[in-house]
Amino acid sequence: MDSNKQVKRCFIYARLSTEDQHRRVEYSSLESQKKICRAYIASQEPNKWRHIKTFSDLSSGGNTTRPGLQELISNIKDNKVDIVVTTKMDRLTRNIKDFWTLYEIMQEHGCQFVCATQELNSTTAHGRFFINILMSFAEFELETIRERTRAKMLSQAQEGLWHGGRAPFGYERHKERRGLLIPHKTEATVVRKIFNLFVKIGSPAAVAKEINAMGYRTKSKKKTKFSKRSEERRVGKECRSRWSPYH
């Protein structure tokens, strides 16, 4: 055994969901997962693997907003983890895009990933090969989603429809036709005043000051004041909109 080898700090992650318990899937308890991971780490003792800490969650693997996982990620970012050990990849996450994100964080901080019961082991060339295949599929899936989203947004824009999110000041959503914006009765009056003031004054900052002095506020939850930037955007965009309340 090479006495000059550095100790590899191993952190175990285990996860169990209610669905797993009902289905009685393999390794269907947190303790059994931890036991398998500890045994795997012990088998790597000649390589100076040492179990440091264990994190676990009782929740779904559909997202990464889990206390145990977030604490593990925090330790990885603090460069306290050399190897993350789980029983299976889906214990970490069931979403391949989330796995890609987590794996990139590990790579950035010199952390390796090992599954005790699967051929996923980034400490070996063979394991990295399989992980790279998974990453390629994840990247392909992500690019496909992006292309579909861009195509959908372009199609909606060509039809004069809103892409989503809160309706801009001066507009409201049509109650029956999805994506269609129509002038808001009260706010449209304010928008007309903004445009009329801009024609007279020619300064977005001065327009914002006048509108604020009249007691009008934006559509945000905090009801913030209008600003120079907001009026520059409004004048630039709404003049080009076929639904502009100013026309």
Side-chain angles (χ1 to χ4, degrees):
M1 183 173 68
D2 187 353
S3 59
N4 293 323
K5 285 184 178 179
Q6 292 184 343
V7 171
K8 299 295 184 181
R9 300 164 297 176
C10 300
F11 281 54
I12 292 172
Y13 180 76
R15 182 187 62 78
L16 191 67
S17 67
T18 304
E19 181 185 357
D20 291 333
Q21 295 178 65
H22 288 164
R23 288 163 52 201
R24 295 186 178 181
V25 296
E26 193 177 12
Y27 317 126
S28 59
S29 77
L30 291 176
E31 191 52 44
S32 65
Q33 291 178 40
K34 295 173 186 177
K35 183 178 179 181
I36 290 168
C37 291
R38 287 195 296 267
Y40 189 89
I41 293 170
S43 72
Q44 298 298 317
E45 186 176 356
N47 295 320
K48 294 229 173 168
W49 287 27
R50 297 289 183 272
H51 175 218
I52 304 299
K53 198 169 183 178
T54 297
F55 295 108
S56 61
D57 286 302
L58 284 169
S59 61
S60 168
N63 57 63
T64 59
T65 55
R66 290 168 259 149
L69 181 59
Q70 288 303 314
E71 194 170 353
L72 173 62
I73 293 172
S74 178
N75 277 268
I76 292 172
K77 290 181 176 178
D78 289 339
N79 298 312
K80 295 179 180 179
V81 187
D82 293 316
I83 303 173
V84 172
V85 182
T86 67
T87 51
K88 299 169 66 178
M89 189 186 81
D90 65 4
R91 297 303 87 193
L92 200 62
T93 176
R94 291 185 183 277
N95 187 310
I96 196 166
K97 295 192 297 296
D98 286 341
F99 177 74
W100 185 14
T101 301
L102 293 171
Y103 186 62
E104 284 184 326
I105 292 173
M106 293 181 196
Q107 288 185 309
E108 288 174 7
H109 296 274
C111 177
Q112 303 296 333
F113 175 69
V114 173
C115 289
T117 65
Q118 294 178 320
E119 290 294 328
L120 289 175
N121 183 342
S122 65
T123 66
T124 68
H126 188 259
R128 286 191 294 273
F129 172 73
F130 277 102
I131 290 176
N132 285 333
I133 291 176
L134 286 176
M135 295 303 98
S136 296
F137 277 110
E139 186 174 7
F140 172 73
E141 182 182 1
L142 188 60
E143 285 300 319
T144 301
I145 291 172
R146 285 173 178 167
E147 287 179 2
R148 288 174 180 171
T149 301
R150 284 193 293 266
K152 182 179 179 181
M153 292 177 68
L154 178 60
S155 176
Q156 288 179 325
Q158 290 173 339
E159 294 178 20
L161 301 178
W162 181 241
H163 291 162
R166 185 190 292 120
F169 187 87
Y171 302 92
E172 63 181 339
R173 295 176 182 275
H174 194 283
K175 293 181 180 179
E176 297 179 358
R177 187 177 176 187
R178 186 178 179 181
L180 180 63
L181 296 181
I182 57 176
H184 187 285
K185 291 181 180 179
T186 305
E187 294 176 357
T189 302
V190 181
V191 175
R192 291 189 185 97
K193 288 182 180 180
I194 290 171
F195 275 72
N196 288 330
L197 283 170
F198 185 78
V199 171
K200 294 177 182 178
I201 303 173
S203 167
V207 170
K209 185 176 180 180
E210 288 285 337
I211 291 296
N212 290 329
M214 293 178 189
Y216 297 115
R217 294 295 180 265
T218 65
K219 205 167 191 169
S220 67
K221 291 181 180 180
K222 295 182 179 180
K223 300 297 180 182
T224 55
K225 293 183 177 181
F226 289 91
S227 65
K228 173 185 175 181
R229 186 178 179 184
S230 69
E231 298 323 300
E232 285 177 338
R233 290 200 303 267
R234 192 183 318 283
V235 171
K237 291 182 180 179
E238 295 190 12
C239 277
R240 295 191 295 269
S241 172
R242 66 173 185 171
W243 292 110
S244 174
Y246 181 66
H247 294 296

